[in-house]
Amino acid sequence: MTDQAENSGQEPLTKIDTSVPHSARIWNYWLGGKDNYEVDRVAGDAFREIFPGIETGARAARYFLARAVRHLAAEEGIRQFLDIGTGLPNVDNTHQIAQRVAPESRIVYVDNDPLVLAHARALLTSTPEGVTNYVDANLRDPETIVREAGKTLDFDQPVALMLMGILGHIEDHDEARAIVRQLVDALPPGSYLVQYDSTDTSEEYVRAIQQYNDGGSVPYILRSPEQIARYFDGLELLEPGVTSCSRWRPDAEALGLPAEVHQYGGVALKR
């Protein structure tokens, strides 16, 4: 049986909006998933026509997540993960990777897209020794995220905070940095921040994102690698620092990916 904590006090899921494309569902489509709608596939195809490298970048980002979680669980002894902006379930989700290394790992997923949460509750299961839980909350509400996650995670022990491809949805960079600071401040020493986002390092990517934003979806803002690096201010970056996701400690999974993709990320320790 799945050992899951209860989401006491969580509001019921709102109606799924299928009238406009949604980033989580589009990424699910690019990664070969089936949890998406026609509106998402149309938007994904239109994006790919302008920027054909998007599927490669999506895979690179997914493999970066896997390598980062494996490293933290196997090499750094992390047993708690707070994954905000979960996205739709796919192969090798955070809890599966972590619990493969350490079955007792505890994972809290956070998202506020009703389709994401519906699938998470149905598909993301835990080992008997560990726990998975799901919080319906907005990234702009760090206090609620920390409060609800604290029902499952022990914030006196190290936690890996994961912000994977989500900060681009915060249009103001200073606000995005403030959210990261508030979340990191809630973590004890020995915790880690794992983060990536898409960058403005390709003119075609910039054009594709502009078309996507003009289509009525929640806007996504591309930022420079230097801006992404600012999320790690005050933390100790692990080698190789903030870099193209395919260059972050590549292993056999990354074979066939280009060295440079337009998703940049890093992993950093809170002393």
Side-chain angles (χ1 to χ4, degrees), residues 19 24-25 31 46 55 81 98 131 138-139 146 151 154 164 246 259:
S19 65
R25 302 192 303 254
L31 287 168
E55 289 179 341
F81 296 82
V131 177
N138 193 296
L139 177 61
V146 171
K151 298 175 182 179
D154 178 1
M164 312 303 279
S246 55

Side-chain angles (χ1 to χ4, degrees), residues 235-268:
L235 304 176
E236 183 179 307
L237 277 162
L238 304 189
E239 292 294 336
V242 175
T243 187
S244 168
C245 283
S246 55
R247 290 178 173 166
W248 197 89
R249 305 192 178 197
D251 58 14
E253 274 187 331
L255 290 177
L257 291 174
E260 182 71 17
V261 296
H262 301 287
Q263 287 70 34
Y264 272 60
V267 180

